[in-house]
Every structure is written in structure tokens, then in C-alpha cells.
Amino acid sequence: MPKPDCHLLLSIDDLASRSRELVDALLRVDLGARVQTDPAKGLVRVEGRFWKAEMLQTLHRLNFAIADVEEQMLRGGSAG
């Protein structure tokens, strides 16, 4: 079964000190993902082809404190 298109907005506590580590972890799940971080606000946008649960499990394993997860519309207008 192919991985779905997914677009998430994550709120991560203490992102500023671990921003590079987080991006590396996300890219290990989906090397082609588009990742935008805003360390000052603790926000991460990630868009790609991955299972949401797999992405969140990876971050939990690395002890990232995920404050909020929001699924967003994909840029093409289709739901994720």
C-alpha cells in the first residue's frame, strides 16, 4: 500500500535547541519531505508521503515534546 500524501503542522516544545536533529529525523521517515521550521515559535510544517503515525512515533522515540499536531490541507487542495 503506497504511503499517503500528508501535511502536518507540529508544535514542538524546546524546538530551538534541537531543530537540526528534528529535521534529520523527519527526513529519515521521508527523504523527499518538505520541512519548514520556525524555532522561535516552536512550529514545524512537514509535507510529504508518509504515514502520520510513523512520523509521530519517530519523534516520540527521540523524546521530542509534541505539544500539538494539526493535519492541514495539501497544497493541491486534496485532504491528507
Side-chain angles (χ1 to χ4, degrees), residues 3-77:
K3 294 180 179 182
D5 288 332
C6 194
H7 187 180
L8 302 177
L9 176 62
L10 307 170
S11 178
I12 308 284
D13 293 336
D14 196 26
L15 176 62
S17 66
R18 299 180 69 196
S19 182
R20 183 73 245 171
E21 181 184 1
L22 179 127
V23 171
D24 290 346
L26 296 176
L27 292 176
R28 280 193 298 274
V29 175
D30 177 7
L31 183 59
R34 289 179 291 280
V35 180
Q36 296 175 321
T37 61
D38 185 340
K41 293 182 180 178
L43 296 176
V44 178
R45 292 182 190 277
V46 58
E47 184 176 332
R49 297 188 63 78
F50 55 86
W51 298 105
K52 175 183 169 184
E54 182 181 5
M55 190 68 74
L56 297 178
Q57 287 170 357
T58 296
L59 297 179
H60 283 295
R61 272 196 310 274
L62 294 171
N63 295 316
F64 280 98
I66 302 171
D68 190 42
V69 177
E70 180 183 325
E71 287 189 65
Q72 298 191 321
M73 295 295 291
L74 295 171
R75 289 188 187 148

